[in-house]
Structure formats: C-alpha cells, structure tokens
Amino acid sequence: MLVAGEERLGKVYDHKLMLRMLHYLRPSAGRVVLATALLILSSLTALAGPLITRYAIDTFIAQKDYEGLLHICLLWFAIQLGTSGLQYAQLVTMNLIGQQAMLRLRREIYAQLQRLPIAFFDRNPVGRLMTRVTNDVEVLNQMFTQGVVAIFGDIFALAGIMVVLLVMNTKLALVTFASLPFVFLISIQFRRRVRHAFVDIRLALAKINAYLQESLSGISIIKAFRREERNDAEFAELNAEHRDAFLRSVRAFAIYFPLVELIQSVAVALIIWYGGGRVLQDELSFGALVAFIQYVGRFFRPIRDLSDKYNIMQDAMASSERIFDLLDKEPEEAPLTSIARFNPRADLCYEDVSFSYDKIVPVLSDVSFCIPAGKTTALVGSTGSGKTTLVALLTRFYEPTAGKITLGGVDVRDIPRRELRRIMAVVQQDVFLFSGTLEENIRLWEESISAEQLAAAIRTSHVDHLLRRLPDGLATQVTERGSSFSTGERQLLAFARALAFDPEILILDEATASVDSETEALIQDALQALLRGRTAVVIAHRLSTIRNADQILVVHHGRIAERGDHAELLAAGGVYARLYRLQFKRQEADVG
Amino acid sequence: MRVPGHAILLGRLRRRRAIGNLKLLLTYLRRYRARLAIGLAAMLLATVFSRLIPWLLKPAIDGLKEGAPRGHIAQIAVGMVVAAAFGALFLYLQRWLLISTSRRVEYDIRRDLFAHMQRQDLSFFGGRKTGDLMAHFTNDLNAVRDVAGPGIMYAATMTTMLVTSIALMLAINPILTLVAFAPYPIITVVTFFFGRAMYRRSRRVQDLFGDLSARVQEDLGGIRVTRAYVQEENSARNFETLSRAYLQANMDVARLRGVFFAAMNALAGTGLVLALLVGGRQVMAGTISLGALVAFSAYLAELTWPVIAVGWVIGMLQRGASAVGRINRVLESQPAIISGQLHDRPIPRVRFDHVTFRYPGAAEDALRDITFALSPGETLGIVGRTGSGKSTILKLLLRFYDPTEGRILLDDADLRERDLDQLRAIMGYTPQDGFLFSRTIAKNIAYGVTHADAESIRRAAERVHLHDEITGFANAYESLVGERGITLSGGQRQRASLARALITEPELLLLDDTLSSVDAEKETEILDELRDFMVQRTCIVVSHRISAVRHADLILVLEDGELTESGRHEELLKGGGLYARLYARQRLAAEIEGTA
Ligand SMILES: Nc1ncnc2c1ncn2[C@@H]1O[C@H](COP(=O)(O)OP(=O)(O)OP(=O)(O)O)[C@@H](O)[C@H]1O
Ligand SMILES: Nc1ncnc2c1ncn2[C@@H]1O[C@H](COP(=O)(O)OP(=O)(O)OP(=O)(O)O)[C@@H](O)[C@H]1O
Ligand SMILES: [Mg+2]
Ligand SMILES: [Mg+2]
C-alpha cells in the first residue's frame, strides 16, 4: 500500500515548507542568533591564517625580524585557541537548537497521530507512520544542525574570501573567479540526479520498514506457512530497490567531487601562471601570491559544502513535506462551536443511521433503534453483518454517513469525543495489550482509579485467578501485545480494564468469545450486580452470553432485522429463532 | 573510590570486543575484495597526484624568486593541471568503488539479517520488541554502512595523506617536521580517550532510539485502546519523557564531539604556528628556501583536516562497532529448533509422550506430563479453561517450541528428528487471533502455497463461506486487507485464516478456536462441510464450544496445563468432570432460552 504523498518528487526548495520548518526554531531564536554570530566569528578568525602567513613572509622573514615573527606567531596561536573555543560553543549551540526543534516536532507529530481519525489508521501501516516520528524527524535534525545555520556560515565564508581576494589583487581575483561558472554548471547537473535518487531512497526505506514491521509481528504465520524463502525474495526486491537508488546517488557524488577538485587545481595553476607573471613584473608580492593560493583552497571548500548542504536540504524538504502532510491532515475532532450539556444516563438512539467505510459498499443502512438507559441491549447477527461497526459509531471512531446518534436527545456530534468516550468503556473484539506491567494494562495510565476499584475490576473479570499463578502479580511484565498470555487471558485483562474505568455505558464486543463457558458464567454472575443501573451493549455469538438482555437486536446485512426480548423473538420465528434452534438442536442431538 | 581490578579488566575486555565486533564486517567486505583493492589503489594514486600539486609549488615559487622565464612557470602550471586531471580520475574511481561497496555490503547484511531473523525460533521474538528489532535494520545498519564506506575510505585516505605528507615534509626538512609534529603525540592520547567515551555515549543514543521506535510502534498499534479510554495525554507524557532522555543523550554526544574538535583544531593549529616560527627562522638563517617553507606549510595545512577527521572517523568506527555488535548478537543467536531428516508423508499419527513444557522465562509449566495418541485420520478435540494450555499443544506440534521434557512423535518419529520444512508443510494451522497480512484477500488466502489460481482461492473461500462476502467488497478478491486484517470483521478474519490453512491441503489440520467469532449458523455450515475435508486427514480442533468437538474421536480436557480427562463425548459426559460441567452449562443456557 502506497500513500500517495510519498511518491511525489520532493521540491528542491519550497519557501512555504522552509518557513514552516523555521517556525520550529522560533523558540530557540536567541540561540540561533548566537550560533550564527559564533559561526561568523569563527569563520572570520579562521581567515586569519593565510593573512598572517603572508604578513610573516613579506614583513618579518624578508626583513629577518625574528622578534616580530615570534609576536605574530603568538598572536596566531591565540587566534587558534579562540577559534577552537568559538567552534565548540557553536557546535554545542547548534546541536541544542536541532535537538530542541526535533523534540518540538516529535511532540507535535505524536499529538497529531493521537488526534487523527481511526479510519486513517485502517489505511496506513504502523511501520510507515513510525518512520514519520523517528527517521523523518531525524533528517530534519540534520538540516537544523548542519543545514540552516551552516549555510549562512558557508555563504558568509565565501563572500569573505571573495572580498579579501578582491582587495589583495583585483585582477588575480577575477582570474580565480573565472572557474565559478563551471562549478555552477556541474552543480546543477549533479543536483538533478541526486534529487531523484534521494526521493527513491526514502520511498524504498519506508517500504522496507513497513515490510519488516509486518513480518516481525506475523512471524508465527510465516513459520507455520513456511514462507521464509519467498519472503527472502520479496524482501530482496525492496532491499535492491533501496540499494540501487543509493548507488545512483553515490555515482553522482563520485563524479561531482573530483570534478570540483579538478576545477580547483586548474584555478591554482591559473594563479601560478598569471600571478607568477605579476610577481615577475613586481606587481604582486610573493606573500600575496602564497596567500592567494592558500585562499583558493578555502574558497572551494564552502562551495563543495554547499552541495552537501543542498542534499541535506533536499532530504529535509522531502521529509518535511511528508511530516507536514501528516500534520495538515484533518484531525478527528474539529473544534466544536457549541458544546452541548448531556446526561450520561440517558437513552442512546440511532436515527436512520447509514454508514460505509469506503463510501462505496454500504455497511449499515437506515438503522434506527434505541438503547434504553440502565438496560442491557444485545446485538446478535451473522458474522460481518455490522455489529462491531454499530458500536464503533457509538464511540465515534467513525461518523455515520447519514442519520445521527443521540444521547438523551443530544446529537453526539455536539459532544466532544473525549467527553463521550469518558462515559463509555469498550472491550474491543481485538484485544490490545501494551508492554509494561499488568497493572498499567488494566488502569492504563489513569491515576484516578483507586486501588479498590482496581481490585473489584480484577475480581469481577476473574483476572485474580490468573494473578494467583504469577509470582509478580500485578507487577508482571507484559510482552508486546501480551503475547505471553493466552488469548482468553488477554480478553479477561481487557475486560478488567473496562470495568476499572467504572463507565456509565459498558460496551462488550465479543468480550468473552475466547473464554470458556465456566469462567464466562462466573463473570456474568459477578457482572449482574455491577450492571445494575448502567447501560450495556453486548455483542455475542454465543446466545447463552446474552440470555439476560432486556432487549435483543438482530443485525442482518447492515439492518436491524428483528428486535424484542428473547421470548418475543423466539415466538416471531425469524433469524433469531433459527439461530437459537441451531444451537439448541445441536446440544439436543448430543444427548441422544 | 576504589575501582576493583577485575572491573577494569572487564571494561578493557569489553572494549576490545567492541572493535573486535568489526570482524564480522570484514567477512562481508571480503566478497568485494577486488573492488576494494582497486578502489584503494585508486585512492593511493589519487592521493599521490594530489600531493604533486604542492610539490610543484616549490619549484614554481623558487623559480619566480630567481626570476625564471615565464615559459618555465607555464610548464609547471600545465603540469599541475595534468596531475589534477589524473587525480580527479582516480578520485572518481576511489569514491565510486569504495562507497558503492558499502551500499552492497549494506544490502548483503540486511538480506542476511532478515533471513536469519525469520529463521529464529519464537522464543527469540518473545523477549524482544518489534521496534527494537527494526532498529537493527535502519539505525544500526546505517552505522555499519558508514564504516564500510566513508569510514574505510577516509581512514585509508588519512593514513596515506599522513604518510606521504610526512615523507615529503621530511624530505624538505627533518627538523621542521619534528617541530611541526610536536603536538601530535598529545593528539593521539586525546583521540584514544575520546574514542572510549564516544563509544559509550553513542551506544546510549542508539539504545534510546530503539526505545523510542518501540514506544511509537506500540502506541500506534494500540491507538484504538488509547482513544477509547481517553488516554491520549498520558501516553503523550510517556513519549515526552523518552524524547527528552533522547535529547539529553544526543547532547552528551554533541558536547563530547565539540570538545574533541576544539582540541584537535587547537593542537593542529599549534603545529602550523610552530612550523611558521621555526621555519621562518630557518629561512632567515638561509637553511631552507622560502619555497620550501611555503610547500611545507601547504602540506601541514592539508594535514589539519585529516587530523580533525580522525575524531570523526573514530566516532564513526565506534558507532559502527557498537552497531555491528548489536547486529552480531542477532546473527550469532542460533535457533534451538533444528531441522532433522525427511520422512514419508502419510496421513500422520500423532503421539504425545509425557510432554512437559514451560515457556522460556515463565514461572510455571504451561503443560505437565501430557500423554495421548491419535491415529491417522482421527479427529482430536481439545477443550479446557482459559489459559490451560490448549494453544500451547498446537504450538509444540508446529515446533514453535520444543518440549522441556518428554517427546512428541509424528508417525513414530520424534518431531526433532524430522525435517522442519516438511513437518510444517504437513500441517495446516489457523492461529487463534487470525493474523492476516496487509495485502489483498486473494494473496492472504494463497499465502501458504507457491502457485494458486483464482479458482482454488475461490474454492477455499467458498469452503469457509467467505466467498459471498468477498464478492460484496468494492474490489472483491483484490481488496486490500488492513494491517493484521483490521479492515475485516472478526469472523471474516477468522474464516480467511481458515481458508489460508485449507488451501494448502494439509495432512494434519490444526484449528485453534477458529470459529469463535462466527455465528452458530455459519459455524454449523462450515463444520458440516469441513467434515468431508477432515475425513482423509488427521485433525486437532481446539474450541470452547462443545458443539465443535463433540464428534471428535478423542477429546482432551485440560486444566491448568494438566490432562484431567480424555475420551469420547459420551464417556466424558459420564465422567462428570469439567467437560460435563461445560456441556451442561452450554446446554442449560440453551434450555433456558428454549423454555423462557
Ligand atoms: N475498518 C474497516 N474498513 C473497511 N471495512 C470494514 C472495516 N471494518 C469492518 N469492515 C467491513 O464492514 C462489514 C461489517 O463489519 P463488522 O466488523 O461490523 O462486522 P461484525 O458484525 O462485527 O462481524 P463479526 O461478528 O465477524 O465480528 C464487514 O463486511 C467488514 O469487512
Ligand atoms: N509466550 C508465552 N510466554 C510465557 N507464557 C505463555 C506464553 N504463551 C502462553 N503462556 C502461558 O501458558 C499458559 C497456556 O497458554 P495457552 O495459550 O496454551 O492457553 P489456552 O488454553 O490456549 O487458553 P485460551 O483458551 O485462552 O486460548 C497460559 O497460562 C499462558 O499465560
Ligand atoms: Mg465484530
Ligand atoms: Mg488458546
């Protein structure tokens, strides 16, 4: 699955993107100024070397003034020390700027991920999204620490050297600059090639990550189905894509740098030839010629660095585009104009609700029913009929495409999602456990859950039975996704989690499907007391699970086919009666 | 504070190991011997040619001083350009051959790492986080690649530059050379300590990056829980703590690097100053010519950069060494599950012989002393309380793990003596959680077969009553399934994973509570049809529903890892144990519903 945004060829330089990136530097504005100042200072002091050499040669060595030579050397030494100090300060400041910008950016991306609609996560694999928070941000860091400020530094150094050269000898300086157009031409060619390669590299890397992530989490299936060799081949393809894109960029670099170096040497040769002539005609001093030659080396360094920076920028542009793409995605919750007051203990009603995940195939069509407050409503129906979808609308993981859901007459869209979710607790059909301790998994990170509440939830959900076997009890470490617990045990833990949050509305989506009947019955008995006065929505295929429901809704192909309590539905002789008879008949058959 | 002697020794050993880690890299580099050799030769030539240019400066300047004719100067200038052209050619070869090799090595290591990881047994994955493992492929591999390419190239370039420059400088003036190099012993010492500290600090950065990746990966996986329980802020806080620690670790590295570069700069600068001072004096004394001093200074100035880069390369080597170490730990870990011999493949007989099993790191046995036998073509039902070890029996059969005690026999051969690939080919497994991959439905169903035509995929889907639902999707069989199958309903996912097992036509079918999210109607239909499929195969069916196992030839009842009852349905009912209770419970429920 490819996200469209990743295939786009990154722009070289996008003013808007750049401004947005710089925005993350704003809180460090003081440091940026400091770093720039330090950089300018240190590049200035670094310029001193050739000047001092020239002065030493022309003045002191020529005049055999040892005293003067000693003094100027001491001065140079002091400047060297100063430069080192400046460079240290500058490096640390720049890193701090980059790291802090990165922290801000990470924080923001993470927060955004927490706000994006659930449908977004249905489409985007975790491995790919992870890249946004980790690698892409890291690339921007490179730009912050080595890019932005350093570019100023390079440009400044370049300008400084040009001025010094022009002042020393205008003609010779112009001869030196004659090489510049060639450098430009080569650079433009180089950039074009590298740009494509870099986009391809990122793309391949994202694919590799997503593939790895999935393979690592599905490893037992890979083994059971002996996919190792075919996966090697699949992976090799992505791996090769990544390598080849990289090789293209390597070749571009391999051509570019030697060419620039060649031009530099030609420039030196020109200086010797032309400058040598001037010296012979006594228009130029030896010292000046030597200084010129030394400066030419420094003149080309920032030019070469600029192309390196260019790549960093290019890379950063591509990364930032993806990051901002993510940040610009519509969050799940648009700010509400008016926040309705609502009573958590009120009837929940679906009014002509229709829904489709992909806007093509309808999953729910014109569903209308009420979940009475304080009562238990059961949803039954064939697999894939839309039960899970119905309750996903309740927690507003998705929004109805038509119709509305009301809580005590208030449209739930007028209630902030977080407020709505606070009064509900869901045991989802797919249990998810975090790595951490068992306790963290039950209470999550909620401090407000008291020890008694926790203990009660554990008792009711029968988790205490499991705890007895674990020497570390609630402090037991849970591995990723709870892989060290049996499926049923994981469900019980998710159940305990829902109860610990003491919700007004409890939603159980096949919450005990992987639990044995005996444990299930124990839980149900314990749950009776707890459910009194609370609204509950229970989805179950095992009809025994819902025998006590006040209302049973039969979902069939995205519609409510039947409704009533158990006796009424049996009498009606529809889908429910058939389902029921099936379960019953099979049991009867065994007796005979 | 006294540091115990052995601690120092241990530290030293560990350090030695750190660089020793790079040995692994050598084995990979060896494959590209020829390229590397040519690349290094090109590097040597490139350096020699680039050395020529300052060398030519000397006659040029001295010539100018002595008023040589312009033609002579022009000759020297042309010589420079020619030397530079050759230099550029060899530089190109050097960069291309050396750096591209590192990309190829990266490819090789990534390939081997993936292949190796895939072949580890499940206990390997049990103790590790996915995010951490992934960091091996990105961050660690980057660090290794840096060593293999730029690391080697710069190290070699620096060495040649150092050697040639020193030789040339010695040729110009030995005394001046000694003076100019006075600060270099200090540089060596500084570099040594820097390397040690750098290793530790960059290690920490890498570890934290791994933690950060793992955190993000999990938080995104559990996003539906976080949302449902309104825990966004709390999980953001945890993330923030980690990000801050990462920032600190990075700054520690930055500060260290800053100190190092400053020190290097100052020390190398001192050399330049000394050379000017002493050299200037010698020129005054007439011992050396001005041209010699200029050329000498040029060589020395060119050395500044390599000397500073020493620290950079050392940092790179340290990072690389610690990364190779991490990768090596993975590559060195040998799976405990080793393949045996090929056997015949009849419809298998299965026997558990006093099998006891404990998961690695667990406090209690998951299975204790399990013994049972199943004849070819028979069906075994397994029921039992939650966490009693049902799934574990299937995982042992698949040899995801080996029993701690006892043996499992398939056709009278210990599983450990059988070819692993063949063993798993015999089995068709549906995991309890119905894991699917994010590819099309068709590809998911055909996951276990090399070539599957649309027809057989369709047949498999029909067998599990999924065909009609699939054709209802916008893209039918070509619909993409979200990660782990999230865009399917629970029951659809389970049935897809059942179809995936059936299409392989296995001799031994392992169903782990496969239809728990499927309604009774569909379940009955599917099971009835599967019965034909099952007749010619040995089957093991784990279920919480008595209805799914009641026809089995043998039913096992597990409690807390022990086999408490076994027999046929009727026998177990008479026994009055857990099975009878479960049955009564499910029947009672049905009756209550019936009479209500
Ligand atoms: N995230 C999703 N994106 C796209 N389609 C989806 C998504 N989740 C479910 N569907 C589709 O919507 C339909 C209804 O699914 P739903 O999960 O609501 O069924 P269900 O009644 O809960 O079934 P089950 O009993 O098997 O859990 C199915 O056809 C399913 O493939
Ligand atoms: N990877 C693991 N590491 C450590 N312990 C484990 C691991 N997997 C399972 N266990 C433990 O081993 C025991 C048996 O687990 P198993 O999955 O076999 O149970 P089960 O009978 O299949 O239960 P369920 O009915 O819930 O699926 C449980 O107590 C479980 O906590
Ligand atoms: Mg469902
Ligand atoms: Mg199980």
Side-chain angles (χ1 to χ4, degrees), chain B residues 164-486:
Chain B
T164 50
S165 292
I166 291 176
L168 290 169
M169 285 155 77
L170 280 173
I172 292 175
N173 188 310
I175 295 173
L176 201 52
T177 311
L178 274 182
V179 170
F181 275 91
Y184 282 64
I186 310 178
I187 289 181
T188 318
V189 174
V190 170
T191 308
F192 175 72
F193 282 104
F194 168 77
R196 271 175 43 173
M198 200 62 198
Y199 178 72
R200 273 197 303 276
R201 294 189 186 192
S202 44
R203 217 6 227 283
R204 186 160 160 69
V205 168
Q206 278 161 1
D207 286 349
L208 279 169
F209 188 83
D211 289 351
L212 202 70
S213 306
R215 172 96 256 158
V216 175
Q217 192 243 328
E218 268 211 278
D219 287 356
L220 292 178
I223 195 101
R224 290 167 186 81
V225 173
T226 315
R227 292 287 175 80
Y229 288 93
V230 200
Q231 295 297 307
E232 292 94 335
E233 270 137 36
N234 288 326
S235 77
R237 208 172 43 236
N238 295 339
F239 177 73
E240 173 87 13
T241 316
L242 206 53
S243 301
R244 282 193 181 279
Y246 183 61
L247 181 146
Q248 279 314 326
N250 268 306
M251 284 313 295
D252 286 346
V253 169
R255 269 188 289 270
L256 187 65
R257 199 176 298 148
V259 167
F260 179 76
F261 280 138
M264 285 294 138
N265 215 5
L267 287 169
T270 310
L272 283 176
V273 174
L274 284 177
L276 181 64
L277 184 64
V278 176
R281 181 139 204 199
Q282 287 180 331
V283 173
M284 288 178 214
T287 334
I288 59 170
S289 70
L290 184 59
L293 178 60
V294 171
F296 188 89
S297 294
Y299 283 130
L300 196 56
E302 271 189 36
L303 274 187
T304 317
W305 186 81
V307 165
I308 290 178
V310 165
W312 184 65
V313 169
I314 283 181
M316 201 183 249
L317 282 177
Q318 297 291 357
R319 259 197 316 281
S322 75
V324 175
R326 275 164 56 111
I327 290 176
N328 213 5
R329 268 200 299 283
V330 173
L331 289 181
E332 271 172 1
S333 86
Q334 285 304 324
I337 311 277
I338 306 161
S339 189
Q341 305 284 315
L342 279 173
H343 280 66
D344 292 339
R345 279 177 80 154
I347 303 301
R349 172 199 324 278
V350 177
R351 196 149 69 85
F352 269 56
D353 183 14
H354 299 285
V355 170
T356 294
F357 175 68
R358 177 178 300 201
Y359 281 100
E364 273 191 35
D365 291 336
L367 290 176
R368 253 186 317 278
D369 201 22
I370 305 288
T371 302
F372 67 86
L374 192 63
S375 303
E378 279 191 340
T379 297
L380 173 73
I382 306 179
V383 295
R385 299 287 292 262
T386 289
S388 55
K390 304 181 292 297
S391 304
T392 307
I393 288 189
L394 301 189
K395 289 178 191 162
L396 289 181
L397 263 172
L398 282 155
R399 271 197 92 199
F400 286 169
Y401 305 92
D402 278 336
T404 332
E405 278 169 46
R407 318 178 289 161
I408 302 172
L409 303 162
L410 200 75
D411 294 329
D412 303 320
D414 194 315
L415 289 189
R416 280 171 283 214
E417 287 156 12
R418 298 195 57 133
D419 179 72
L420 198 54
D421 200 56
Q422 187 195 39
L423 184 73
R424 288 180 180 154
I426 293 174
M427 304 185 189
Y429 172 59
T430 61
Q432 207 168 354
D433 62 358
F435 186 100
L436 298 182
F437 292 89
S438 57
R439 15 184 110 197
T440 64
I441 295 189
K443 282 197 177 140
N444 264 297
I445 292 179
Y447 193 72
V449 285
T450 332
H451 301 288
D453 49 88
E455 182 50 34
S456 56
I457 294 176
R458 183 197 155 115
R459 240 197 344 269
E462 275 170 351
R463 248 193 203 130
V464 297
H465 288 248
L466 195 57
H467 176 71
D468 292 341
E469 279 154 89
I470 294 176
T471 45
F473 295 153
N475 297 316
Y477 279 92
E478 295 309 307
S479 308
L480 279 171
V481 164
E483 216 171 17
R484 285 176 177 262
I486 35 174

Side-chain angles (χ1 to χ4, degrees), chain A residues 114-370:
Chain A
Q114 295 281 14
R115 280 193 301 259
L116 286 174
I118 294 296
F120 175 82
F121 295 93
D122 291 347
R123 287 191 311 269
N124 292 283
V126 169
R128 176 97 21 113
L129 295 177
M130 245 174 85
T131 317
R132 288 301 95 80
V133 189
T134 51
N135 295 33
D136 277 338
V137 175
E138 211 71 35
V139 169
L140 288 198
N141 174 46
Q142 268 204 345
M143 187 201 68
F144 286 135
T145 48
Q146 297 164 35
V148 181
V149 180
I151 282 180
F152 289 132
D154 283 341
I155 292 175
F156 192 84
L158 203 58
I161 292 170
M162 285 172 95
V163 168
V164 172
L165 291 185
L166 282 170
V167 169
M168 280 203 308
N169 188 307
T170 318
K171 276 190 196 152
L172 196 53
L174 289 179
V175 168
T176 313
F177 299 158
S179 59
L180 280 182
F182 297 102
V183 176
F184 264 120
L185 267 176
I186 294 168
S187 298
I188 288 167
Q189 278 297 319
F190 164 72
R191 274 160 210 191
R192 238 208 19 237
R193 287 180 189 215
V194 165
R195 190 169 138 200
H196 286 267
F198 269 60
V199 174
D200 291 348
I201 291 170
R202 291 259 148 231
L203 194 64
L205 197 63
K207 283 192 206 158
I208 287 181
N209 269 341
Y211 193 84
L212 278 174
Q213 143 96 29
E214 197 169 37
S215 304
L216 292 174
S217 37
I219 190 73
S220 61
I221 305 298
I222 290 176
K223 288 185 174 303
F225 289 91
R226 309 170 298 118
R227 281 285 300 212
E228 290 94 339
E229 261 161 50
R230 264 176 295 156
N231 283 4
D232 279 347
E234 280 181 7
F235 188 68
E237 242 169 72
L238 303 180
N239 201 3
E241 207 177 293
H242 180 255
R243 178 197 57 197
D244 296 340
F246 245 131
L247 287 182
R248 268 182 283 138
S249 86
V250 170
R251 190 177 287 272
F253 275 99
I255 294 174
Y256 179 72
F257 281 114
L259 273 184
V260 172
E261 222 149 274
L262 178 61
I263 295 177
Q264 173 179 346
S265 300
V266 171
V268 172
L270 268 179
I271 290 170
I272 297 258
W273 177 71
Y274 183 81
R278 304 296 100 178
V279 171
L280 287 179
Q281 288 158 24
D282 275 339
E283 284 173 24
L284 192 73
S285 70
F286 269 119
L289 184 65
V290 171
F292 241 95
I293 292 169
Q294 287 187 357
Y295 275 122
V296 168
R298 287 166 191 247
F299 177 65
F300 278 86
R301 201 182 304 152
I303 291 181
R304 227 174 352 193
D305 283 359
L306 274 174
S307 351
D308 253 349
K309 304 281 150 51
Y310 174 85
N311 290 314
I312 292 175
M313 294 291 288
Q314 167 81 56
D315 222 10
M317 285 293 161
S319 285
S320 71
E321 199 171 352
R322 284 192 300 271
I323 288 176
F324 291 139
D325 228 37
L326 185 72
L327 290 180
D328 290 340
K329 287 246 154 55
E330 203 65 35
E332 182 179 54
E333 187 92 278
L336 287 177
T337 40
S338 65
I339 295 174
R341 292 180 57 79
F342 65 98
N343 174 12
R345 301 209 166 183
D347 294 355
L348 270 164
C349 289
Y350 285 63
E351 298 173 16
D352 300 322
V353 170
S354 296
F355 177 75
S356 164
Y357 283 100
D358 52 10
K359 312 273 183 277
I360 303 172
V361 181
V363 174
L364 299 175
S365 340
D366 278 336
V367 178
S368 299
F369 65 89
C370 278

Side-chain angles (χ1 to χ4, degrees), chain A residues 391-514:
Chain A
V391 299
L393 297 182
L394 213 53
T395 48
R396 294 188 67 199
F397 272 10
Y398 305 93
E399 296 289 335
T401 19
K404 62 176 178 176
I405 301 173
T406 58
L407 175 60
V410 178
D411 190 336
V412 291
R413 270 172 293 205
D414 294 333
I415 304 171
R417 282 186 178 74
R418 292 161 57 86
E419 296 307 314
L420 192 67
R421 287 173 189 162
R422 258 188 244 281
I423 63 168
M424 302 178 176
V426 203
V427 179
Q428 282 151 347
Q429 199 167 8
D430 311 306
V431 170
F432 187 92
L433 297 185
F434 294 92
S435 53
T437 63
L438 270 185
E439 177 167 353
E440 275 170 357
N441 266 291
I442 298 176
R443 68 155 74 233
L444 296 177
W445 304 279
E446 195 61 59
E447 303 293 335
S448 63
I449 294 171
S450 69
E452 292 82 56
Q453 239 170 307
L454 196 71
I458 288 171
R459 232 176 302 118
T460 312
S461 58
H462 220 65
V463 167
D464 50 354
H465 183 80
L466 166 66
L467 286 182
R468 246 171 271 145
R469 285 213 320 262
L470 301 168
D472 293 334
L474 276 177
T476 304
Q477 284 294 324
V478 177
T479 51
E480 213 168 276
R481 281 186 181 253
S483 61
S484 58
F485 290 99
S486 85
T487 313
E489 288 166 344
R490 271 178 255 163
Q491 274 200 325
L492 296 183
L493 287 166
F495 210 119
R497 181 193 285 162
L499 296 181
F501 278 75
D502 194 22
E504 297 290 340
I505 303 169
L506 184 64
I507 302 170
L508 307 176
D509 189 355
E510 296 278 5
T512 46
S514 300

Side-chain angles (χ1 to χ4, degrees), chain A residues 384 387-389 429 509-510 539 541, chain B residues 489-491:
Chain A
K387 304 176 295 296
T388 301
T389 308
Q429 199 167 8
D509 189 355
E510 296 278 5
I539 300 177
H541 286 302
Chain B
S489 88

Side-chain angles (χ1 to χ4, degrees), chain A residues 516-561:
Chain A
D516 62 285
S517 308
E518 219 166 45
T519 309
E520 186 190 28
L522 289 171
I523 294 176
Q524 274 193 335
D525 292 342
L527 207 56
Q528 287 303 310
L530 208 141
L531 279 182
R532 207 155 295 139
R534 281 178 222 256
T535 312
V537 182
V538 182
I539 300 177
H541 286 302
R542 249 187 261 168
L543 297 184
S544 57
T545 315
I546 52 153
R547 63 181 184 226
N548 295 317
D550 299 294
Q551 178 190 216
I552 299 171
L553 302 169
V554 181
V555 187
H556 196 67
H557 288 309
R559 294 173 197 275
I560 305 292

